[in-house]
């Protein structure tokens, strides 16, 4: 990984650090379980970016999310208790979403950016709920990824003093698995310096309506 500490905007770092206790208090594990919403963390604005499909992307996603909710009860906290274990589970989520998408769209793949954004928003949505096992929520917060879109990419670049060469950040820039992994690693390194996590940074960076 590149040395990012020298690029950090210290004022913005303090702003993120200061926000962490309130994020944990007001946004983490605050919603009742079982869930009352069937959106599973993804609003209609996200799906408007999808085109050329035979079916409705929201229907495909919700079909997948409902199947994951059914499987959630079988998840033991220990299975996602380290970054390596979480990443293995996270990749299995992405693979299962891709598999369903191909089935519903006659072999057509989800793009890398769309695939991981849907998975990461779903994980974030889970972390907002009072899941039966509190340790699961703890691990989601500690090891979850930041959903990559215009707001989060723009925010991390600001916090790194504009060091990332992105004049117009957008989800579409995440075109490969390597790009996704690289961006996640940068965010993770920054969050370590702030005493936070990637998922807490997502809560901090993304604002509805912006």
């Amino acid at each position: 990984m590149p040395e990012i500490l020298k690029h950090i905007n210290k004022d913005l770092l303090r702003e993120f650090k200061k926000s962490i206790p309130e994020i944990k208090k007001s946004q983490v594990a605050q919603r009742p379980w079982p869930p009352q919403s069937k959106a599973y963390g993804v609003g209609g604005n996200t799906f408007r970016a999808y085109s050329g499909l035979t079916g409705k992307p929201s229907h495909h996603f919700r079909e997948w999310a409902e199947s994951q909710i059914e499987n959630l009860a079988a998840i033991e906290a220990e299975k996602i208790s380290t970054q390596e274990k979480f990443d293995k589970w996270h990749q299995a989520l992405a693979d299962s979403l891709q598999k369903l998408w191909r089935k519903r769209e006659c072999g057509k793949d989800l793009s890398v950016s769309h695939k991981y954004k849907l998975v990461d928003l779903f994980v974030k949505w889970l972390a907002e709920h009072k899941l039966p096992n509190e340790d699961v929520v703890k691990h989601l917060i500690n090891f979850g990824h930041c959903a990559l879109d215009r707001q989060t990419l723009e925010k991390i670049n600001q916090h790194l003093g504009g060091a990332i060469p992105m004049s117009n950040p957008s989800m579409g820039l995440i075109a490969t698995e390597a790009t996704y992994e690289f961006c996640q690693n940068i965010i993770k390194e920054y969050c370590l310096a702030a005493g936070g996590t990637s998922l807490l940074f997502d809560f901090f960076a993304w604002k509805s309506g912006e």
Side-chain angles (χ1 to χ4, degrees):
M1 279 299 296
E3 173 57 62
I4 69 168
L5 294 180
K6 63 183 179 181
H7 300 296
I8 289 176
N9 182 307
K10 293 181 180 179
D11 290 336
L12 295 179
L13 181 74
R14 283 192 292 269
E15 181 184 340
F16 176 42
K17 279 185 175 182
K18 186 177 179 180
S19 74
I20 290 172
E22 180 59 28
I23 291 171
K24 289 180 176 180
K25 180 181 177 181
S26 64
Q27 298 189 65
V28 175
Q30 294 301 305
R31 298 185 179 185
W33 190 266
Q36 298 175 333
S37 168
K38 296 296 184 181
Y40 302 111
V42 182
N45 288 342
T46 297
F47 292 118
R48 280 199 282 272
Y50 295 66
S51 61
L53 302 178
T54 58
K56 292 186 176 181
S58 60
H59 290 182
H60 300 338
F61 171 70
R62 287 163 190 162
E63 178 185 354
W64 171 81
E66 286 169 7
S67 71
Q68 299 307 313
I69 293 299
E70 293 173 2
N71 295 335
L72 190 63
I75 296 177
E76 298 176 6
E78 191 276 333
K79 291 183 178 179
I80 57 170
S81 61
T82 67
Q83 189 69 64
E84 182 179 3
K85 290 178 179 179
F86 174 88
D87 287 345
K88 182 178 180 180
W89 176 71
H90 179 272
Q91 189 61 55
L93 290 180
D95 292 345
S96 67
L97 176 59
Q98 189 70 278
K99 182 178 180 180
L100 182 141
W101 208 272
R102 288 172 182 154
K103 183 177 180 181
R104 295 290 177 261
E105 289 295 327
C106 303
K108 186 175 182 178
D109 278 349
L110 263 173
S111 69
V112 169
S113 58
H114 285 123
K115 175 180 65 176
Y116 285 119
K117 183 174 182 181
L118 291 177
V119 169
D120 290 332
L121 289 176
F122 177 70
V123 171
K124 181 181 179 182
W125 174 84
L126 288 176
E128 295 173 341
H129 288 78
K130 296 178 181 178
L131 301 181
N133 188 332
E134 293 180 1
D135 285 340
V136 170
V137 177
K138 181 180 73 174
H139 297 329
L140 295 179
I141 291 297
N142 286 340
F143 306 121
H145 299 183
C146 177
L148 302 178
D149 62 11
R150 179 187 60 80
Q151 286 196 56
T152 55
L153 290 170
E154 187 175 73
K155 188 71 74 173
I156 190 61
N157 206 12
Q158 290 171 356
H159 282 235
L160 293 176
I164 306 172
M166 291 189 298
S167 58
N168 294 296
S170 72
M171 182 178 69
L173 295 175
I174 313 303
T176 69
E177 300 277 341
T179 303
Y180 174 80
E181 181 180 356
F182 182 76
C183 289
Q184 293 296 340
N185 285 339
I186 287 177
I187 293 171
K188 189 186 304 179
E189 288 296 312
Y190 171 78
C191 290
L192 285 173
T197 69
S198 298
L199 196 50
L200 290 174
F201 183 80
D202 191 324
F203 280 109
F204 168 80
W206 192 88
K207 307 298 180 187
S208 178
E210 293 187 7

